[in-house]
Amino acid sequence: MAAKIKVVIAGPRGRMGREAVKMVSEQDGMQLVSVIDYKNTGKSLNELEGFTYLHDTVSVYSDLNQCFDEKSPDVLIDLTTPETGYAHTKTALMHNVRPVVGTTGFTSGQLDELTDLAEERNIGVIIAPNFAIGAVLMMKFSQMAAKYFEDVEIIEMHHDQKLDAPSGTGIKTAQMIKENREPKKQGHPSEEETIPGARGADIDGMKIHSVRLPGLIAHQQVLFGSEGQLLTIRHDSHDRASFMSGVRICVETVMNLGTLVYGLENILD
Ligand code: NAP
């Protein structure tokens, strides 16, 4: 029988982290060896509220270096905040631990730096701004449509605790559309914003609008307009469990990579 993949999760008390702990603990091929939580060092995860269902003792660390030295994990799943996630990813690479990063909000400079580091050390990394398979298909379908519709606006909608805007998925969608779309400044050539920001963020002439409201989870619609028609491609994550099949696939796949892959769509058939 193949050895279990030893996993560490950073951010286990978070909304995504809780789902990831559940998912990893249910996999026959994975073992949750520890978690990174700066508020509960030295405790066992089973003692914390909401985790008493775990059968095995899972130690809590705040120091990543100590955790990696003592537990020798294969994979770090990071579901924290942009600054912390970036630092965690770098530390993991220096310890030959393969990062699977769901945390969004990394800058393109940070992504370039991590790409170089992964290549230098020949270690797999997956950074996926959206782990939901349906969202990946939404991005792919949008990329296809962009060949025929050059006018596009993206509306991404998330809960009001989200730190980064636009969302990683919104930016990734625009980047994928860009590959198939002739650059074009949309709207009236003389249009003016009477209130700054009214037309949204601009990527290559495309517009991205970010909605933040309590009650939302993660939603996006991509609107393509042309003479007499509107095409809307929409995806909704109603529950964070929707992301977990993607996380599982990434943990399994990252074991066989030697470079950084950005986006779940690049590892799906
Ligand atoms: P969340 O509920 O705020 O969880 C973040 C967790 O990280 C919190 O428990 C926080 O603890 C913890 N944290 C912060 N700094 C830390 C540190 N230095 N060490 C360890 N833990 C630390 O956020 P979420 O909704 O779970 O989202 C987490 C990240 O995933 C965000 O970047 C979000 O945009 C992204 N996300 C990605 C996907 C995807 O499919 N890729 C889907 C949804 C969300 P405290 O609260 O105690 O500070």
Side-chain angles (χ1 to χ4, degrees), residues 5-156:
I5 302 172
K6 293 200 275 178
V7 178
V8 169
I9 296 176
R13 282 180 297 102
R15 287 158 291 201
M16 286 288 282
R18 284 181 188 275
E19 289 293 336
V21 166
K22 186 163 170 286
M23 183 278 292
V24 169
S25 67
E26 286 169 354
Q27 303 304 311
D28 290 338
M30 296 179 198
Q31 184 192 359
L32 182 64
V33 292
S34 57
V35 293
I36 307 295
D37 175 358
Y38 67 126
K39 288 185 181 162
N40 290 291
T41 323
K43 292 187 181 160
S44 166
L45 188 60
N46 329 43
E47 297 169 34
L48 305 185
E49 196 190 332
F51 294 104
T52 46
Y53 68 90
L54 290 169
H55 298 303
D56 300 321
T57 300
V58 177
S59 38
V60 180
Y61 290 83
S62 57
D63 183 341
L64 230 66
N65 292 294
Q66 187 192 359
C67 169
F68 292 160
D69 288 343
E70 291 181 10
K71 295 290 177 181
S72 308
D74 300 302
V75 173
L76 167 75
I77 300 176
D78 192 275
L79 297 161
T80 58
T81 59
E83 210 175 307
T84 301
Y86 171 65
H88 283 175
T89 306
K90 262 177 102 168
T91 307
L93 283 170
M94 298 314 287
H95 282 260
N96 297 335
V97 176
R98 295 155 189 276
V100 168
V101 181
T103 306
T104 56
F106 289 7
T107 64
S108 52
Q110 289 174 329
L111 289 172
D112 288 345
E113 200 182 320
L114 293 172
T115 303
D116 291 346
L117 191 58
E119 197 135 325
E120 209 176 278
R121 299 189 64 83
N122 193 25
I123 312 265
V125 184
I126 299 176
I127 299 181
N130 203 320
F131 286 120
I133 309 280
V136 170
L137 292 174
M138 168 194 62
M139 289 189 254
K140 286 199 172 198
F141 296 155
S142 300
Q143 188 177 35
M144 282 168 69
K147 195 172 159 193
Y148 306 100
F149 293 84
E150 58 191 14
D151 287 270
V152 51
E153 306 230 351
I154 298 169
I155 305 173
E156 56 91 348

Side-chain angles (χ1 to χ4, degrees), residues 193-234:
E193 288 182 332
T194 51
I195 299 177
R199 290 288 290 120
D202 190 293
I203 294 190
D204 225 26
M206 286 177 263
K207 299 294 180 186
I208 306 187
H209 311 268
S210 299
V211 177
R212 298 289 177 264
L213 286 172
L216 293 172
I217 304 262
H219 317 259
Q220 179 169 295
Q221 36 182 319
V222 187
L223 288 86
F224 293 92
S226 80
E227 284 299 311
Q229 58 180 322
L230 176 74
L231 170 66
T232 304
I233 301 172
R234 177 172 177 132

